[in-house]
Every structure is written in C-alpha cells, then in structure tokens.
Amino acid sequence: MSVTDNSPAPSETTSARGRLILQEYGIFIAFLLLSGILSVSNEYFLTPGNISNVLLQTSINGILAIGMTFVILTRGIDLSVGAVVALSGIVAASFATTSATAAIPGGPYPAVLALAIGVLVGVACGALVGTIVSRFSVPAFVATLGMLSAARGMTLIYGGGKPVPALTPDFRFIGTGSVAGLPMPVVVLAVVFLVSWWVLSRTRFGRYIYAVGGNPHAANTSGIPVSRLRFSVYVISGGLSGLAGMILSARTGSALPQAGIAYELDAIAAVVIGGTSLSGGVGRITGTLIGALIIGVMNNGLDLMGIQSYYQQVLKGALIVGAVMLDQKRNHG
Amino acid sequence: MTYLLEVEGLKKSFGGVAALRDGALRLKPGSVHALCGGNGAGKSTFLKILMGIHQRDGGTIRARGRDVVYSSPAEALSAGIAIIEQELSPIPHMSVAENIYLGREPSGRFGGIDFKTMNRKAQALLDRLGFDIRASALMMHLSVAQVQLVEIAKALSHDADVIFMDEPTSAIGEKEAQHLFVAIERLKAEGKGIVYVSHRLSEIFQIADSYTVFRDGRFIGDGLLSDIDRPGLIRMIVGRDLGEEFYKTNVPTDEPGLEVENLTAPGKIDKVSFTAHRGEVFGIYGLMGSGRTEIFNCLFGLDTPSEGIIRLAGTPITVRRPRDAMDLGLAFVTEDRKLTGLNLGDSLRNNVCLASLPEMSPRFSMNRRAEADAARAMIDRFAIKAARDTMPVSGLSGGNQQKVVLGKWFLRQPKVLLLDEPTRGVDVGAKREIYRIICDFTAQGGTVVMISSEIDEVLGLSDRIMVMRQGRSAGILARDAVDASALVNLST
C-alpha cells in the first residue's frame, strides 16, 4: 500500500497563468509599446537608417550588459567594466596605431593581434577580480570597485594620460565596417548574444550558474564547483568588456583614457530592466538584450523629438526604478 | 467558561485558491493546546492571520471575550496575542534587552535610551521566568533554544496571555526541548494560554492538555488529549487509517557498506568509528552540537578530517570534495532543505537533475529529454504532488519538497545514503512515505546512515543506533536493546 500526504497538489489558476505570461514577456511588451509609440509619433523612427543607428548605439552597452548578466546571476556585480573598456582599448590601440609617438615599437601590428591583446587584457582583469572574489571571499562590489579604480589608473599610466590616435583601417573595421549591410558592432553583439543565450539556457555550465546564484550552499552539496563558477563569470565579463573596448576605440578612431566612464551603470540598468534579479539565480539573457534596446530606443526617441539629453538621464533613472518596482509588485504583490 | 481566545469560521484565499476554509480554535487560560494538521492543512495561514500578517476574508476572533480586529503584528500584540515563529528573526548584533524592548526602549536624558533601566527590567523578567540568560548578552552569542526563550520573554513583556509557538523544537535538541517544556509549564501556571504547533506527536502528548486538528483548511475536531490515543490523533490528522506508523521491512546483511574508523576533525568530532552494513539503517542520535552532522560533512567532502579511514564496501576511499563522494556512490540529504538542499526559486525538474548533470549530459550541451524523463521518473517513484515539473519548488509543501531532495539523490542511484533529519517539518503522511522509500532502498541492498533528533523515528527505523555526545561516540546499541530513556541518558 502506498500512502501519500494529503495536501492537494498545487494547481494554477487563470490569473496565475496570466501573471506568468506577464512575467515572461512583460519586458518585451513594454519594448514593443515604446517602439510603437515612437514610430507613430515620429515618421523617421522606423526607417532602416535609424534602426541601424539604434542598434549601433546599443551594441556596446548590450555586450557589457550580457557579461554583467552572467555576473549578476551568481549574486555578484561588476563595477569595473567601464574602466576595463578604457584599459583594453588603449592597450590594443597601442598595437594598432600609425602614430609614431604612441605606438609599440615595430607597430602597427596586424589588427587581429591587436584585437586579441585587447580582449586578453579584459580577460586578465576579470581573472584577477574573479580570483579575489572566489578565493579570498571579498564581496564582488568591493573587488570590482577596486578594479575600477586600478584599471582607470593603469589606463592613464599606460597612455601617459593622452589618447592613442590614428588607428589602422584594419583595426577600425570592427567598429566602422559592415557585413551584409549590418554594422560590425551589431554583428558582434548578435554573435555574443546567441552564444550567451545558448550557454545560459542549454548547457550544464549555464545551469550551474543559475544554481550557484539561486542557492550556493545547495549547489555546493550537489557537487557543483561553486568557486570555479564564480571565477569564470568575472572572466566572461572582463573578456566582453575588452571586446566592447575594441569596438569603442575602433569607432572613434582613437583610444581615449576617459572612455567608458559610467558604462557599468548603463550595463547594470539594462540587466535590471531586463528582469534579472540582483539577488541572483533569476533572469534571462533575452531580457537583458531587450533592456539594453529599451535604453537605446528611449535615448534615440528622445533625440528624435528634440528633447535635451539632460532629460533623458532623468527618464532613464525613472525607467530603472519603475521596472524594478513592477518586478517587486509582480513577485511579492 | 470564558476562553482566552475564541476563533470561528476563519477564511482566507490567495488568488482564488482557498488556503483556509474554516479555521476554529478555543483556548482556555492556563492550558497548552496543540494545533495539529498535515502540511497544507492551513495551520500556517491560520497563524499568519492571528499574527496580523494576513487579513482574514471572514470569521471572528475573540480575545478575552471581545471581538478583535487588527492588521499588523503590533496590533495583534496589543490584543494580547504573541507568536513565536518557527524561523526566529532576532537582531544578532543587539543585546537581549534591546531585542526584548525593541521599539519600546525606556528613554533617558536628552532623548537617548536608558540602557541601565532597560537591562535591569529585562534581567528581572528573565529571572522571574527562570531563564538562565544575561540581558546584556548579544543575541548572536545565544543558542537557538535561548533565542526562543528570549522570544517568550519578549511576548510576556508585552503582557501577552496567548502565545503561539510554531514548531519550537524543530531546531533544538532533546535536552533543550525539555528546558522549553519546563518554561511552558511555568507559563501555564501563570494562567497563560499556549497554542503549540508541532508535527512531533510525542511532544504533543507530553506537554499539551487539549488539541485541535485541521485538515484541508478546515477545522476537523478538538478535545482533550486524555480522551484520545496516538493512532486516533494520527487518524484525525491524516483522515484515514495509516496502519503501522513506522515502516520496517529491511533485513541487514553482514556485508559492510560504509566503514568509518577513528574519524577526527579537531574541535568537531573525535575518533568516531562505526560500520554500517548493506541492507541496514544505521541511526545516529545526539543533541545539537554533538557532532552528528559533522560526521556527514567529513564523509561527503564538505569538511576535511585530520585523521581517519573511510571504507566503502571494504575499499578505502579518499574524499576531498562532494563530487568525489558522489562519484563513489554516496548521497547526502542535508539537514535543512531550504538552506542546503534545494534551489527554491528553480523548478522541480532542475532541482531533481542538479546533482546529476555531468552524468546526464556528458557533453557541454544539455540533454533536455533526459532531464524531463528523470523528473518524471522521480515524481512517479516518490508520488510527488506538483502541477508541472517546471513549477518552482518553493510552491510545494514541505513533504513534497523533501521528496524532491530525495529524488535528486536517488537519481544518482547511490550505494550509501546519508540522511540528516530526513523528515524534519514533514507531516505524518509524507513521513511514512519517506520511511517506505528508505526501507525499500535498504531492502534492495543499499546502506543508510540516518541522523535524527526525533527519538521515535530513530528507534522505529534504525537497526542499530550510535549515540553521539560532545563529538564522540557514546556507544552503539542494537535496536532491541535500547529505549527512549537509554538514548537520552547516553546523549547527555
């Protein structure tokens, strides 16, 4: 004879299912609404030229936000992404400049080498932060705040406080070129997005990231290498910051020491608007992409309407807080 | 006869789902009243309404004969109703006195706090109750049992005369529980009314005078405990006859399953040796802090022993991390499913698969079909009640959550099962189901080592019992050579 406990099986009601749909697609619906309003109110908004422009403006923040999603899913935060953008940009640029004063002797080197070095600088920064967080149990906020300051300083030391100008056309291709009519930064963002989506939703590594963020103790007792995973998310975020640094300097044609200031805030904003919980374990990479697109579309739309950029910042602030307020209401209301 | 508290027809629904249909309770002064019911019977909702956390949809609450309406825990307190929650939430870096008088600190000169008066009042209160706690001690330095006593003192400092206790012994040892019972007796003598919520029937029969049973959100019946016996109460809680409370069909063999020799972790356990055979349930009994869980932590690679030999089916093994132990065929159902067992926000399916991903998906990409099949298999095998296997486990009842933890480890087809409090916070019906699972596993040649602080459970299920005291083994006793008092004597 089999005896079961007599509590009724939890069932879903229609309203619960409605909430679920809102939870899954709420951010997407908000994005469509915003785009809809903008395309009605401004005939220029939906033109191919403008769409391409929005995507281009979103690409750097999108890439950073995707890396940030990995980190936040494990209950961490990465405040160093903007500074790493600048450091990797300036190091890579010194290998790809035709300017005699700023170049590494023997340069300019092939663009591929310069790009690889730039990404590696980001990976190295991430590996250092990851080690500090996972081995020495320093809170991510503190470790990455330290890296923010250190990387800014190293950028100034490396370039003597001056920009590295005159990058080679080959190097600049990643920022200004295009493939099949799509700007390169957009192509890079698309590739990063697809790979990250696959990793987070279809691989063991991705499942482990959610488990570590959801309950690190349970993950540990289930045999999951928790500290190795914590380490790896900072490496991913660092590497993607390096990549974003390449795109930024390639677009502007020179690497500026003050590049990427406050980029971490936009990246965190995109993640949060996209519905990823800062307490870890909950979130989707598609949400992050849409979060980044919402920020991009909003800035673009306000530009088109001729509204001063000062107002855009106020609106962005309201958007971030409003998105999380809705989230809280949905989850705990 | 005037009642201290009289509740009738209490109703509450959440989003169209009725959690409580008809809650009722009558509490006399100077009595201990047991509130019984399985998981999902509506006890928690009932308590939360009385606490002022949830608003009732209908029904009446009368305290000392007068209708009361309140909408916050503070208002409930001023109506004389205090609740000591299962999960206590003290402010760890504040003193006992500060916690007791939180929000009501006596003011001193210049609008500051008069710490001297506060400490003196708090100490006087603790002394009157016979609690051996210093008012100036920091909460973080107290044991769980002491924190509970402070909560009781806090309730009394509010002049509460109705005190609800929700599973107060779930996190404390037998000896501390007895201290708590003494405190409860004292409250009773002062004419207070105590409503005692627990799944542990022996405790209920020890300290309570009367009972109320809830089932499926409804009041089922009440009466004096002297008028009912244990099987009778179980029948009311479950709604039908359960048969034997414990399920025991396994026959131990002579083949060693897990051998432990001189296992030592400094400051935690000292030279612990035992052999659990195949087909055997080897019980470990001991108080909190006696080193019970620490043995498992060392065996499973969560802690590093300084010396000791572990043998699995006769072969010495080395375990450095949980993955090593898992690869060798060990499984560890941890003590606290919310803290270390489950990823609560994640789905049933993902939780079941969590410990088996490398085996199920040898390549980098997930085998989603295998995951769905595994979840389905465990739901069927353990009769887990869930609407979908993609629903978050936080929405399941305690018993079903525990079965998900068991499913996670059974999916790995372990040879040795380490169970730490396998039925904590689980209702009578689900408990028996879990006993059946344990028995079936041993009957098929598995080895089980089980820690339990419930004496009935450890006696009812184990073939032999090791008693732990202060990090050492105080003896290993055969099932038929031991009774409850021997266990308690050995463990203290």
Side-chain angles (χ1 to χ4, degrees):
Chain A
M1 172 190 112
S2 145
V3 185
T4 54
D5 79 301
N6 58 338
S7 56
S11 62
E12 286 169 299
T13 59
T14 355
S15 73
R17 195 162 295 142
R19 264 209 309 279
L20 207 71
I21 288 169
L22 200 70
Q23 197 158 340
E24 297 276 286
Y25 304 110
I27 191 66
F28 190 62
I29 294 167
F31 172 67
L32 290 181
L33 265 170
L34 182 66
S35 307
I37 293 166
L38 284 172
S39 48
V40 170
S41 63
N42 193 304
E43 74 275 9
Y44 181 68
F45 179 75
L46 264 188
T47 56
N50 190 52
I51 292 174
S52 163
N53 193 22
V54 169
L55 290 173
L56 196 60
Q57 284 172 353
T58 303
S59 55
I60 288 176
N61 186 33
I63 292 169
L64 294 175
I66 287 171
M68 189 70 75
T69 307
F70 279 84
V71 175
I72 290 180
L73 278 176
T74 64
R75 300 188 175 181
I77 190 98
D78 189 350
L79 300 177
S80 68
V81 295
V84 173
V85 161
L87 180 61
S88 57
I90 211 151
V91 173
S94 69
F95 285 87
T97 178
T98 53
S99 147
T101 48
I104 298 283
Y109 291 89
V112 177
L113 180 74
L115 290 171
I117 286 171
V119 173
L120 273 178
V121 168
V123 166
C125 292
L128 181 59
V129 166
T131 307
I132 293 169
V133 171
S134 64
R135 292 266 161 247
F136 300 97
S137 305
V138 173
F141 191 94
V142 175
T144 59
L145 189 63
M147 178 52 77
L148 185 161
S149 181
R152 275 278 159 227
M154 285 192 278
T155 309
L156 292 166
I157 295 166
Y158 191 87
K162 290 193 288 287
V164 176
L167 303 178
T168 59
D170 275 0
F171 182 84
R172 293 199 63 188
F173 181 78
I174 192 174
T176 56
S178 60
V179 173
L182 281 173
M184 265 309 280
V186 178
V187 174
V188 174
L189 172 64
V191 171
V192 168
F193 168 74
L194 288 174
V195 171
S196 304
W197 176 83
W198 179 73
V199 167
L200 277 182
S201 60
R202 292 282 185 272
T203 69
R204 200 197 310 162
F205 177 74
R207 196 61 51 81
Y208 282 177
I209 285 178
Y210 282 102
V212 168
N215 187 343
H217 303 289
N220 187 37
T221 39
S222 298
I224 293 172
V226 174
S227 71
R228 212 162 70 211
L229 269 141
R230 283 225 174 94
F231 170 80
S232 62
V233 292
Y234 293 95
V235 172
I236 291 170
S237 177
L240 290 177
S241 304
L243 189 61
M246 304 300 95
I247 294 174
L248 183 62
S249 51
R251 272 184 72 192
T252 45
S254 64
L256 309 171
Q258 71 273 30
I261 285 179
Y263 276 22
E264 58 277 359
L265 300 183
D266 268 3
I268 294 169
V271 175
V272 166
I273 292 172
T276 297
S277 160
L278 284 176
S279 39
V282 178
R284 295 257 161 81
I285 205 84
T286 34
T288 297
L289 182 69
I290 293 168
L293 282 171
I294 285 182
I295 294 176
V297 163
M298 194 185 66
N299 287 342
N300 174 268
L302 295 170
D303 273 342
L304 291 181
M305 291 187 224
I307 293 169
Q308 252 188 350
S309 68
Y310 304 154
Y311 292 95
Q312 299 181 7
Q313 296 191 24
V314 175
L315 274 172
K316 190 164 72 192
L319 181 69
I320 296 167
V321 177
V324 177
M325 269 165 60
L326 278 179
D327 232 39
Q328 289 289 344
K329 205 169 158 53
R330 236 192 285 133
N331 296 333
H332 307 288
Chain B
M1 178 85 232
T2 54
Y3 291 102
L4 271 181
L5 182 71
E6 220 178 337
V7 184
E8 269 169 24
L10 216 56
K11 283 189 187 56
K12 179 74 189 172
S13 302
F14 296 101
V17 181
L20 190 63
R21 294 164 215 267
D22 174 25
L25 183 96
R26 283 177 300 179
L27 178 69
K28 290 178 192 162
S31 75
V32 179
H33 192 100
L35 179 57
C36 310
N39 293 120
K43 287 175 311 191
S44 323
T45 311
F46 186 80
L47 289 188
K48 288 210 167 105
I49 294 172
L50 282 157
M51 247 177 114
I53 289 180
H54 291 328
Q55 301 303 301
R56 59 190 128 145
D57 295 342
T60 55
I61 302 175
R62 270 192 296 278
R64 289 169 238 178
R66 283 185 319 161
D67 274 329
V68 287
V69 181
Y70 45 72
S71 54
S72 74
E75 289 175 56
L77 260 179
S78 59
I81 299 170
I83 298 204
I84 294 160
E85 287 180 88
Q86 185 177 3
E87 270 144 48
L88 302 163
S89 43
I91 302 173
H93 293 276
M94 283 193 180
S95 73
V96 169
E98 283 171 293
N99 270 274
I100 291 178
Y101 290 104
L102 196 65
R104 304 171 291 150
E105 296 85 354
S107 27
R109 272 173 299 176
F110 314 119
I113 294 173
D114 185 354
F115 284 100
K116 223 165 144 186
T117 311
M118 186 166 76
N119 280 333
R120 202 182 56 239
K121 276 171 68 183
Q123 193 65 59
L125 177 65
L126 292 166
D127 291 346
R128 177 171 72 87
L129 294 167
F131 299 165
D132 182 22
I133 299 169
R134 267 190 317 116
S136 56
L138 292 186
M139 289 304 275
M140 57 193 280
H141 294 143
L142 303 187
S143 68
V144 180
Q146 285 176 315
V147 172
Q148 272 176 351
L149 296 181
V150 171
E151 288 286 330
I152 293 174
K154 185 175 175 177
L156 293 180
S157 77
H158 280 277
D159 290 323
D161 44 22
V162 176
I163 299 174
F164 281 80
M165 294 187 183
D166 191 5
E167 299 267 0
T169 54
S170 67
I172 65 178
E174 187 69 26
K175 194 175 170 189
E176 288 175 308
Q178 295 304 331
H179 282 313
L180 179 71
F181 296 160
V182 171
I184 290 176
E185 287 295 330
R186 209 181 298 251
L187 298 179
K188 200 169 125 178
E190 287 192 10
K192 311 284 183 192
I194 291 112
V195 180
Y196 190 88
V197 183
S198 178
H199 286 305
R200 300 185 177 179
L201 297 180
S202 13
E203 284 176 10
I204 289 173
F205 278 96
Q206 184 186 345
I207 62 158
D209 313 301
S210 49
Y211 66 90
T212 291
V213 175
F214 282 8
R215 190 169 69 232
D216 298 335
R218 282 179 210 285
F219 171 84
I220 296 297
D222 59 4
L224 294 175
L225 277 163
S226 49
D227 296 341
I228 195 168
D229 59 359
R230 193 168 164 133
L233 189 61
I234 293 178
R235 202 176 307 122
M236 273 183 95
I237 294 170
V238 182
R240 65 199 130 87
D241 241 319
L242 259 190
E244 274 292 300
E245 190 177 351
F246 292 99
Y247 194 100
K248 184 116 189 88
T249 53
N250 65 309
V251 182
T253 66
D254 291 334
E255 285 173 67
L258 180 74
E259 291 169 85
V260 175
E261 213 177 295
N262 287 332
L263 195 68
T264 303
K268 292 168 184 157
I269 50 173
D270 187 21
K271 292 200 166 43
V272 172
S273 304
F274 65 87
T275 301
H277 295 101
R278 296 191 59 196
E280 181 181 42
V281 178
F282 185 84
I284 298 179
Y285 178 81
L287 304 177
M288 294 279 290
S290 63
R292 314 173 303 193
T293 302
E294 286 74 7
I295 299 175
F296 283 5
N297 285 346
C298 285
L299 294 176
F300 207 66
L302 290 165
D303 204 342
T304 324
S306 61
E307 63 173 289
I309 301 166
I310 306 166
R311 274 187 289 265
L312 196 65
T315 321
I317 58 167
T318 326
V319 174
R320 289 204 183 79
R321 11 174 224 134
R323 183 43 66 188
D324 298 343
M326 287 159 64
D327 289 342
L328 289 161
L330 266 69
F332 182 12
V333 176
T334 49
E335 181 175 8
D336 189 330
R337 60 177 165 270
K338 289 192 172 135
L339 204 63
T340 53
L342 292 170
N343 187 356
L344 278 176
D346 209 347
S347 66
L348 193 164
R349 183 191 298 180
N350 285 351
N351 271 288
V352 164
C353 299
L354 192 61
S356 310
L357 292 184
E359 289 78 7
M360 290 172 74
S361 307
R363 278 165 300 156
F364 197 60
S365 182
M366 293 301 312
N367 183 346
R368 292 197 289 163
R369 156 87 49 95
E371 286 184 272
D373 290 348
R376 174 57 39 209
M378 289 303 143
I379 287 174
D380 290 346
R381 179 163 172 191
F382 297 149
I384 300 171
K385 282 188 185 169
R388 298 165 288 129
D389 67 348
T390 49
M391 75 178 288
V393 288
S394 54
L396 299 178
S397 72
N400 281 310
Q401 287 184 355
Q402 190 68 15
K403 288 186 199 167
V404 172
V405 180
L406 287 168
K408 172 170 94 171
W409 291 110
F410 270 92
L411 186 59
R412 299 191 50 81
Q413 301 176 318
K415 298 187 192 101
V416 176
L417 204 52
L418 306 175
L419 301 171
D420 195 352
E421 303 282 3
T423 64
R424 168 173 295 176
V426 165
D427 68 46
V428 184
K431 256 186 186 174
R432 211 182 114 85
E433 186 77 353
I434 290 170
Y435 297 150
R436 181 185 62 82
I437 292 166
I438 294 171
C439 247
D440 288 352
F441 175 72
T442 45
Q444 285 155 23
T447 306
V448 170
V449 185
M450 178 185 78
I451 293 173
S452 175
S453 48
E454 254 191 272
I455 291 190
D456 300 327
E457 180 171 286
V458 90
L459 286 173
L461 219 59
S462 316
D463 296 296
R464 286 179 304 147
I465 300 163
M466 176 167 77
V467 180
M468 288 294 293
R469 185 176 62 215
Q470 293 174 347
R472 290 161 183 264
S473 159
I476 297 176
L477 307 158
R479 174 186 174 80
D480 40 23
V482 67
D483 60 12
S485 63
L487 281 188
V488 174
N489 278 337
L490 266 180
S491 66
T492 49

